[in-house]
Amino acid sequence: MSPVPDETGSVALPPAFDDPGYAAGVVDLLGALAYGELTAFDRLAEDSTTAPTTPDKVELAAMACAEFGHFTRLRDRLHLLGADPYDAMAPFRQTFDRFHANTAPRTWPESLVKAYVGDGLASDFYREVAAYLDDQTRGLILEVLEDSGHSAFAVDRVRAAITADPRVGGRLALWGRRLVGEALTQAQSVAAERDGLTALLAGGVDRPGMDLAAIGRMLARLTENHARRMASLGLSS
Amino acid sequence: MSPVPDETGSVALPPAFDDPGYAAGVVDLLGALAYGELTAFDRLAEDSTTAPTTPDKVELAAMACAEFGHFTRLRDRLHLLGADPYDAMAPFRQTFDRFHANTAPRTWPESLVKAYVGDGLASDFYREVAAYLDDQTRGLILEVLEDSGHSAFAVDRVRAAITADPRVGGRLALWGRRLVGEALTQAQSVAAERDGLTALLAGGVDRPGMDLAAIGRMLARLTENHARRMASLGLSS
């Protein structure tokens, strides 16, 4: 769902953007998402160098480039909203960099679990938030979060690694828990620091939002989906 | 120039492919080119992590993903020719890996010079060879070698680095000579090992090829173009 430029070349934004608080919150959210995609590119490209075979490496490189493609869509949208994309990303840099520094995979199966479980969790979260946003922003977010069929590859390879050596399963289950714990820690620090983002979630006078009970239900859904993904890898959560 | 599938879904190949030696030579050439693109992705993605700013990093990541896109086009063509793309790439692995191991950039400007000068030299070489090939193969090669406007970025940033510190220019000039020397060394080892490739260059009964004099003229053109690229960076060659 791309906005249609009018004859002057500018784009009609949905009425929600008349509220400067809303507009700032969307810029924050897209900035976080864009920086997330850019670091995902980095991480997948780096992990691709540890792939055991060339076809495996190519799968990870394809995932990396898909994430980079999403990044460019978000960057262009930020431009169109009149924001500097790099300024919009800057506040989230430290959080994402810390997350990746604290969860650097040491093995190829750890890379795959991180790509599958970490991206799945992030996607679920952004989808939940998108439900409260205007059509254009929601459309863009759902578009860049679409799974491009790479999950099946990660699931297949992780299950094969566990079959080959069942002890790997225990270690990867711990790894999955560590990824979620670190993600929650970093998400909380973002929520505490970025008022624009929390305001976006909380809603406004004429815009529905999440109260504490809704946030609780969202966390429950995120956790359930995470457990489902771990199970599909053959791992306990 | 993509081949058009007939009603059975198979593709009509140009008559040159009736000669098994020619077909094998093309598979060799596309295999080398494909592995070259894949390692270019690797190298550019890795170099992007040393970029001084996020916009610079994004430029290099975009170059990396463009190379990966070329790789996928070559891989698909190899499939279509009935070859296993990974088998076709395998003979060139060691040569490219050695080239990159021997020319790992230690600084950001070295990365840029390598991206610009190294890719330029490789492109020139493949273009020269393409002139002797059938339409379909030539069309694909010219397509994946097309400069996607990233050269201007490298030239701009390298010139800025030299302006900021003129001593950088001397070191980068030496670096440029080292890149060419290493590229020629590796190219010679490929030519010595891969009969299919050299046969492709030499031509056949009803197909023109390069004699020694033509190869000499080609090397002269490659060297001239290299000097021109070094000059556009503000470097002696």
Side-chain angles (χ1 to χ4, degrees):
Chain A
M1 295 206 45
S2 295
V4 181
D6 67 15
E7 62 272 27
T8 66
S10 66
V11 162
L13 293 175
F17 283 90
D18 295 344
D19 170 6
Y22 179 81
V26 168
V27 166
D28 250 23
L29 184 71
L30 298 184
L33 194 43
Y35 194 71
E37 296 281 7
L38 192 57
T39 54
F41 162 80
D42 266 354
R43 181 239 309 163
L44 289 165
E46 197 189 328
D47 291 354
S48 80
T49 62
T50 69
T53 69
T54 308
D56 281 346
K57 172 207 190 63
V58 166
E59 282 282 346
L60 239 63
M63 289 166 80
C65 290
E67 306 274 19
F68 187 76
H70 299 158
F71 161 76
T72 61
R73 304 246 320 117
L74 294 159
R75 180 193 58 188
D76 296 348
R77 176 71 181 173
L78 282 162
H79 261 308
L80 197 145
L81 293 175
D84 178 299
Y86 297 102
D87 289 348
M89 294 194 289
F92 305 101
R93 193 177 192 130
Q94 229 188 347
T95 306
F96 279 99
D97 291 355
R98 206 158 38 200
F99 173 75
H100 287 300
N102 291 349
T103 59
R106 289 154 306 174
T107 64
W108 168 244
E110 283 190 2
S111 299
L112 293 176
V113 171
K114 184 172 169 182
Y116 177 60
V117 161
D119 291 358
L121 192 65
S123 288
D124 280 352
F125 171 72
Y126 287 115
R127 268 175 226 273
E128 292 272 356
V129 176
Y132 292 90
L133 304 179
D134 65 278
D135 279 7
Q136 285 181 8
T137 308
R138 183 167 60 249
L140 173 64
I141 291 178
L142 296 182
E143 199 184 307
V144 302
L145 294 179
E146 205 172 280
D147 178 25
S148 13
H150 296 296
S151 295
F153 165 77
V155 170
D156 177 71
R157 291 303 192 279
V158 171
R159 296 191 79 105
I162 297 169
T163 306
D165 178 3
R167 287 167 308 174
V168 166
R171 288 199 295 271
L172 289 178
L174 284 176
W175 175 242
R177 278 200 277 281
R178 175 139 156 241
L179 289 171
V180 175
E182 192 65 38
L184 288 178
T185 306
Q186 301 302 338
Q188 267 169 339
S189 90
V190 168
E193 283 164 30
R194 301 300 300 173
D195 291 345
L197 267 189
T198 39
L200 204 62
L201 271 182
V205 182
D206 48 5
R207 203 169 51 75
M210 283 188 189
D211 56 14
L212 261 181
I215 290 180
R217 287 192 298 274
M218 174 182 81
L219 285 176
R221 283 189 297 272
L222 294 180
T223 315
E224 272 165 37
N225 283 343
H226 169 69
R228 199 178 37 71
R229 271 188 294 269
M230 290 294 280
S232 75
L233 292 172
L235 298 172
S236 61
S237 55
Chain B
M1 296 206 45
S2 293
V4 180
D6 66 16
E7 63 271 27
T8 65
S10 65
V11 162
L13 293 176
F17 283 91
D18 295 342
D19 170 6
Y22 179 81
V26 168
V27 166
D28 250 24
L29 184 71
L30 298 183
L33 193 44
Y35 194 70
E37 296 282 7
L38 192 57
T39 54
F41 162 80
D42 265 356
R43 179 242 308 164
L44 289 165
E46 196 189 329
D47 291 354
S48 80
T49 62
T50 69
T53 69
T54 308
D56 281 345
K57 172 207 189 64
V58 166
E59 282 283 345
L60 240 63
M63 288 165 80
C65 290
E67 307 274 20
F68 186 76
H70 299 159
F71 161 77
T72 61
R73 305 245 321 116
L74 293 160
R75 178 193 59 189
D76 296 349
R77 177 70 182 172
L78 282 162
H79 261 308
L80 198 144
L81 293 176
D84 178 300
Y86 296 102
D87 289 348
M89 295 193 289
F92 306 100
R93 196 178 190 129
Q94 230 188 345
T95 306
F96 280 98
D97 290 355
R98 205 158 38 198
F99 173 74
H100 287 299
N102 291 349
T103 59
R106 288 152 309 173
T107 65
W108 168 244
E110 283 189 1
S111 299
L112 294 176
V113 171
K114 182 172 170 181
Y116 177 61
V117 162
D119 290 358
L121 192 64
S123 288
D124 280 352
F125 170 72
Y126 287 116
R127 268 174 227 274
E128 293 272 356
V129 177
Y132 292 89
L133 305 180
D134 65 279
D135 280 7
Q136 286 182 8
T137 308
R138 183 168 59 250
L140 173 65
I141 291 177
L142 296 182
E143 198 184 308
V144 302
L145 293 179
E146 205 172 278
D147 179 25
S148 12
H150 297 295
S151 295
F153 165 78
V155 170
D156 176 72
R157 290 303 193 280
V158 171
R159 296 191 79 104
I162 297 168
T163 306
D165 178 1
R167 287 168 306 175
V168 167
R171 286 199 295 271
L172 289 179
L174 284 175
W175 176 241
R177 278 200 277 280
R178 176 140 156 242
L179 290 170
V180 175
E182 192 66 38
L184 288 179
T185 306
Q186 301 303 337
Q188 267 169 338
S189 91
V190 168
E193 284 164 31
R194 301 299 300 174
D195 290 344
L197 267 189
T198 39
L200 204 61
L201 272 181
V205 182
D206 48 5
R207 204 169 50 76
M210 284 187 188
D211 57 14
L212 260 183
I215 290 180
R217 288 192 297 274
M218 175 182 82
L219 283 175
R221 283 190 297 273
L222 293 179
T223 315
E224 272 165 38
N225 283 344
H226 169 68
R228 199 178 37 70
R229 272 188 294 269
M230 290 295 278
S232 76
L233 293 171
L235 298 172
S236 61
S237 54

